[in-house]
Amino acid sequence: MNIVLLGAPGAGKGTQAAKLVSEEGLCHISTGDILRQAVKDQTELGMKAKAFMDAGDLVPDELIIDLMRERIQQPDTAKGVILDGFPRTTTQAVALDTMLSELGRPLDAALLIDVDPEIIVGRLTSRRMCRECGAIGTAADGDTCKKCGGEMYQRDDDNETTVRNRLEVYEKSTSPLIDYYRGCDLLVTIDGDRDPEVVFVDVKSVLK
Ligand code: AMP
């Protein structure tokens, strides 16, 4: 099964993807996680991407498409993938269609996790992430990861100014994908403004 998770930053795509990985054994590919690791490792890709990420802007399509073309061919994707944060532009969506058709693996669904933008600002500015395992929590959870004991930190791009820019970028560049996938008859919309466990019940029922 190959799934695209759509939704604004902070809608809960990463949280739902993590649940799908543990229950369905699918391979989770988050371009944001790959880029953050590249920045941390100071690779060529990381150095090219950092300024865009810090500003809340999109990394150029060519870099992301090259990255994804290589990642999607790795053996761990054979059982199926959950794409989280990719595609984010129509150019990326068209490139993904080509990649999947070359691999003979069609897309099964594009799940839109729908959340009101003002709720997102509050969610993201209080979001925390584990430096070690990438688990997602909130400021109220404290400084230590419940899963692995690592340090919980606030992402550089989760401050309010950058969050508002990321939401504008989403509206302008990524929300047209909703119509794109509706046109392919692959779009399913799920109300993301609920407890993650309740959202997950809907996600699973859609994928059955
Ligand atoms: P995320 O963790 O998905 O919120 O992504 C964090 C940041 O990484 C974004 O604000 C962008 O700067 C960059 N990024 C992640 N995925 C993409 C993508 N598919 N296209 C362009 N930039 C991306």
Side-chain angles (χ1 to χ4, degrees), residues 4-181:
V4 163
L5 287 180
L6 285 178
K13 302 186 296 294
T15 303
Q16 296 302 319
K19 289 179 183 297
L20 280 171
V21 169
S22 67
E23 290 209 5
E24 308 284 331
L26 300 179
C27 171
H28 175 202
I29 303 180
S30 155
T31 39
D33 286 350
I34 295 172
L35 291 169
R36 275 184 291 281
Q37 189 62 46
V39 170
K40 198 169 160 189
D41 296 343
Q42 299 188 328
T43 65
E44 199 184 330
L45 170 68
M47 286 189 283
K48 284 181 184 160
K50 187 176 184 330
F52 296 102
M53 295 173 75
D54 286 347
D57 291 329
L58 293 184
V59 173
D61 282 336
E62 315 82 73
L63 287 179
I64 297 289
I65 291 168
D66 285 352
L67 158 86
M68 186 54 76
R69 194 177 292 116
E70 199 185 311
R71 180 65 188 87
I72 210 157
Q73 291 184 42
Q74 303 296 316
D76 62 342
T77 64
K79 243 185 107 181
V81 287
I82 308 161
L83 300 177
D84 163 10
F86 177 91
R88 256 177 158 102
T89 63
T90 308
T91 305
Q92 292 180 18
V94 172
L96 175 64
D97 287 345
T98 308
M99 285 175 216
L100 289 176
S101 83
E102 280 169 8
L103 290 167
R105 298 183 202 158
L107 202 59
D108 296 286
L111 298 190
L112 169 64
I113 318 264
D114 197 24
V115 180
D116 182 89
E118 277 312 311
I119 292 173
I120 298 246
V121 174
R123 270 195 194 181
L124 285 187
T125 51
S126 66
R127 180 167 72 174
R128 297 293 181 269
M129 189 178 244
C130 175
R131 269 194 210 286
E132 304 306 320
C133 73
I136 299 162
T138 74
D141 297 332
D143 297 337
T144 307
C145 175
K146 286 182 183 149
K147 269 195 182 159
C148 77
E151 184 200 352
M152 299 297 283
Y153 79 109
Q154 181 174 35
R155 276 172 45 175
D156 292 344
D157 57 355
D158 276 350
N159 65 77
E160 185 165 345
T161 311
T162 311
V163 164
R164 291 204 182 269
N165 186 43
R166 288 163 66 200
L167 287 172
E168 274 179 33
V169 169
Y170 173 78
E171 257 327 300
K172 183 168 161 268
S173 303
T174 308
S175 66
L177 294 183
I178 296 171
D179 279 341
Y180 180 89
Y181 285 115

